[in-house]
Amino acid sequence: MLCLLVLLYGAESWTLNQAISAKLEAFEMWLYRRMLRVSWVDRITNQEILSRMRKGKELLPMIKSRKLEYLGHIMRNTERYQLLQVILQGKILGRRGVGEGVSHG
């Protein structure tokens, strides 16, 4: 349990891409294999490991859920996270002048 808490520290701010997601899933399966004392050379599939543990893959859904909860926290707290809200919503106040922001190259 302590290992999981250390792993998830700051997970709300992670950018999840395919490479990181694959590493997290591999880590989760490594933990399950360690708990069951199954070696990698035993040729036991991940599905078999999950069925022995009587669970599915939980790490990535947990991280995604925590990210969504944090996003909700940011969007509700307008005083403290005003800059983050502007960045996330992509809204910029004011008007663009004529010819500004247009590149001619």
Side-chain angles (χ1 to χ4, degrees):
M1 184 64 173
L2 182 62
C3 184
L4 186 62
L5 294 175
V6 172
L7 172 72
L8 293 177
Y9 181 77
E12 294 85 4
S13 63
W14 294 352
T15 301
L16 290 178
N17 56 27
Q18 286 182 343
I20 292 173
S21 297
K23 288 179 183 180
L24 287 169
E25 285 187 352
F27 178 72
E28 181 179 14
M29 293 308 302
W30 178 81
L31 284 177
Y32 293 156
R33 287 177 181 272
R34 293 285 295 176
M35 286 187 218
L36 294 172
R37 293 189 170 108
V38 174
S39 173
W40 287 103
V41 295
D42 290 342
R43 292 185 175 262
I44 297 176
T45 65
N46 287 345
Q47 292 300 326
E48 175 64 25
I49 296 294
L50 291 172
S51 68
R52 288 185 188 182
M53 293 290 292
R54 294 190 183 109
K55 59 173 42 183
K57 293 182 181 178
E58 297 175 349
L59 191 58
L60 274 178
M62 185 185 311
I63 291 172
K64 290 177 182 179
S65 171
R66 290 173 69 133
K67 287 175 70 71
L68 283 174
E69 288 173 8
Y70 184 60
L71 177 63
H73 175 72
I74 288 173
M75 298 312 287
R76 280 189 304 274
N77 196 340
T78 56
E79 297 170 10
R80 188 170 181 189
Y81 297 111
Q82 188 173 8
L83 179 61
L84 280 174
Q85 289 177 357
V86 169
I87 292 169
L88 289 171
Q89 293 174 1
K91 295 181 181 177
I92 299 174
L93 299 176
R95 295 187 59 176
R96 184 173 59 124
V98 176
E100 291 182 29
V102 178
S103 63
H104 299 285

